[in-house]
Amino acid sequence: TQSHGELNYYHCTLADIPFDLPMQQIVDMVTPKEDSEELKALLALGYALIPHQLHVFKERLPKKFAMVNYFLLPVQRDEQGSIVVEGKVDAATLEMRKEAHVIVTKYLSSVHVTGVEGVIFKLAQPFSLLNSVPFLERLDAEIAMLNVEQCADVKKLRTWVLTKADLDQSAAFAADSTQHLGSVSSSSILPAEWAWLRTQHKQFPQTATSDLITTFFVRCLHPFFTYKDTVTVSHE
């Protein structure tokens, strides 16, 4: 069995999912559309994009949010013309993987990928990465927002942060160094989310001024994200 590190593995988030949207419809949203030009091009290269680990978070918030991962796997057609996943990648296919990677990032960064108006789907990793795992591991290990001793659920809070983060796609992520990757703006955070955050992180100010909230985010998102306090909001 190959590890995620030997495969192209992409991390995406969904935000603003209507609270009453059925799970099956969310599954349909994240299932790659085989009739898209990008996926036809992938298939021509001998690859398919396979969803993995869809997780929808239904919190005490106006809308749901979610994460989903994708494998990029080599495929072939059987005698009936159906697509069969081979599930193996070797070093000889690395250049082909890089070509397929360009197609995948174009597809996953399309604002129309979900087909449901209002839902925000995005590729929540630096576009340069063929594999999201080192990036996610670094986030979990190095930003205080995701300290396992301080937050109720690391995966849930990380997903929430990434739905809010504006990634700088010109930044090159390296697993052995720390660099600025983007920003989170207060304007992206709904009033109900301030109260919700108090239940998710032990260090989030229970009663606070804008200055204390800003101090929390600046400290807890460092070193990968900056925090922009762009609007005046009520934190009560």
Side-chain angles (χ1 to χ4, degrees), residues 4 9-13 52-53 67-70 123-126 129 131-143 146 154-155 157-163 167 173-175 181 224-225:
H4 293 175
Y9 194 65
Y10 302 92
H11 186 71
C12 298
T13 60
H52 181 237
Q53 292 186 335
M67 53 146 283
V68 62
N69 297 317
Y70 293 89
L123 179 56
Q125 66 178 69
L129 291 182
N131 190 297
S132 63
V133 172
F135 166 66
L136 299 178
E137 289 178 344
R138 286 289 300 281
L139 289 186
D140 291 354
E142 295 193 29
I143 68 172
L146 304 179
V154 172
K155 181 182 290 187
L157 202 53
R158 184 221 297 149
T159 302
W160 181 84
V161 168
L162 288 175
T163 66
L167 292 175
F173 175 82
L181 294 175
F224 293 112
F225 303 111

Side-chain angles (χ1 to χ4, degrees), residues 90-199:
D90 56 47
T93 65
L94 182 57
E95 289 305 312
M96 193 74 79
R97 285 173 62 192
K98 290 180 179 178
E99 185 176 349
H101 169 77
V102 174
I103 298 171
V104 170
T105 55
K106 180 180 178 182
Y107 176 74
L108 293 179
S109 60
S110 168
V111 295
H112 304 297
V113 72
T114 66
V116 175
E117 185 176 357
V119 177
I120 301 172
F121 179 104
K122 68 180 180 181
L123 179 56
Q125 66 178 69
F127 284 15
S128 60
L129 291 182
L130 274 67
N131 190 297
S132 63
V133 172
F135 166 66
L136 299 178
E137 289 178 344
R138 286 289 300 281
L139 289 186
D140 291 354
E142 295 193 29
I143 68 172
M145 192 82 171
L146 304 179
N147 184 319
V148 67
E149 296 181 357
Q150 300 297 327
C151 66
D153 184 325
V154 172
K155 181 182 290 187
K156 177 170 62 178
L157 202 53
R158 184 221 297 149
T159 302
W160 181 84
V161 168
L162 288 175
T163 66
K164 304 298 181 182
D166 181 13
L167 292 175
D168 177 3
Q169 292 304 344
S170 66
F173 175 82
D176 58 353
S177 66
T178 298
Q179 66 277 2
H180 177 258
L181 294 175
S183 61
V184 173
S185 171
S186 62
S187 63
S188 70
I189 302 174
L190 300 173
E193 290 175 308
W194 298 111
W196 174 78
L197 283 169
R198 295 187 181 113
T199 70

